[in-house]
Amino acid sequence: MKLVFAGTPEVAVPALDALIASDRHEVAAVVTRPDAPAGRGRHLVASPVAHRAEEAGIEVLKPARPRDEDFLARLREIAPDCCPVVAYGALLPKAALDIPANGWVNLHFSLLPAWRGAAPVQHAILAGDEMTGASTFQIEEGLDSGPVYGVITEHVRPTDTSGDLLTRLAFAGAGLLAATMDGVEDGTLKAVPQPADGITLAPKITVEDAHIDWRAPALRVDRVVRGCTPAPGAWTVFRGERLKVVNARLVPDRAELAPGELAAGKNNVYVGTGSHAVELLWVQPQGKKPMPAADWARGVRISPGERVGAGDVG
């Protein structure tokens, strides 16, 4: 089939690579979000998908809005048979959905109908799911509600961050999307409506969602840290400034610390929660780079009984 691939972030690149490598399909163009400010200089930078397409000599379309008539006219000229999508980042209007003969097929990083929305991997970790996966489905005007072509499953490991899990799903899902294109092309694959039961929503994780409540049980704190890493980054407050918690681990045998109370040894830093303690492994003070928590603790010289979150948990 002639394909127009839509995607924007790094997580979409493995799927684009898989389709470029396919000997059954031609990636005629790529649709991605417009260049965006990045880095300290806030210079405009093309998306990872745009970079990869340009390297491969593929036409790149960057509509400000997918409803723009210039974009729709170019899409009609290309006349794709199907438009595979991975994390494009904009809603597609019906005028665009109607152009390819086989529609737009999305690779979504959950087992639909669970975790429909922008942040399925983060929400799976926050909820403590032991199993997740990826689904390919036909895009319709509803939110991730279209019929499903195929799924793969993936175990959520006890130490997975959302970044770890998303990376594995991006590569496994690339194979699923390529196989879905094959099945659509030869007619062997039919989309099946999603069940009405089991629908959960996964809206974008906000900075406030990543705010650690040390009164919560340690298991919840651990999930917030892992689910919000690398973005937006779990955080707390120490001496009036924001402190990101980059990496932590559960310490079930330490229960003597009050919520938020710090205990620093030579090579370890512990924080109390609503149950047992967690050990801080890596932190990032405001305006600085990530560092081992023990190095941070030596630098700030924690006082006995001092807490994180002391001014923001009431």
Side-chain angles (χ1 to χ4, degrees), residues 48 102 138 163 227 260 305:
N102 294 288
Q138 189 87 37

Side-chain angles (χ1 to χ4, degrees), residues 243-292:
L243 177 72
K244 279 192 175 182
V245 178
V246 179
N247 195 6
R249 70 181 182 94
L250 299 170
V251 190
D253 57 347
R254 294 202 61 156
E256 75 280 8
L257 297 174
E261 183 181 356
L262 289 160
K266 186 176 180 180
N267 298 305
N268 305 93
V269 182
Y270 302 101
V271 186
T273 73
S275 57
H276 54 79
V278 298
E279 181 182 355
L280 302 183
L281 301 177
W282 281 77
V283 298
Q284 183 175 5
Q286 192 166 315
K288 297 184 179 179
K289 293 182 177 181
M291 64 179 67

Side-chain angles (χ1 to χ4, degrees), residues 158-170:
T159 59
D160 270 341
T161 65
S162 61
D164 297 333
L165 184 53
L166 191 54
T167 297
R168 294 204 306 276
L169 287 171

Side-chain angles (χ1 to χ4, degrees), residues 111-114 116 144-148 192-200:
L111 298 174
L112 291 169
R116 294 176 178 176
D144 299 337
S145 58
V148 172
V192 177
Q194 294 183 31
D197 297 330
I199 296 171
T200 50

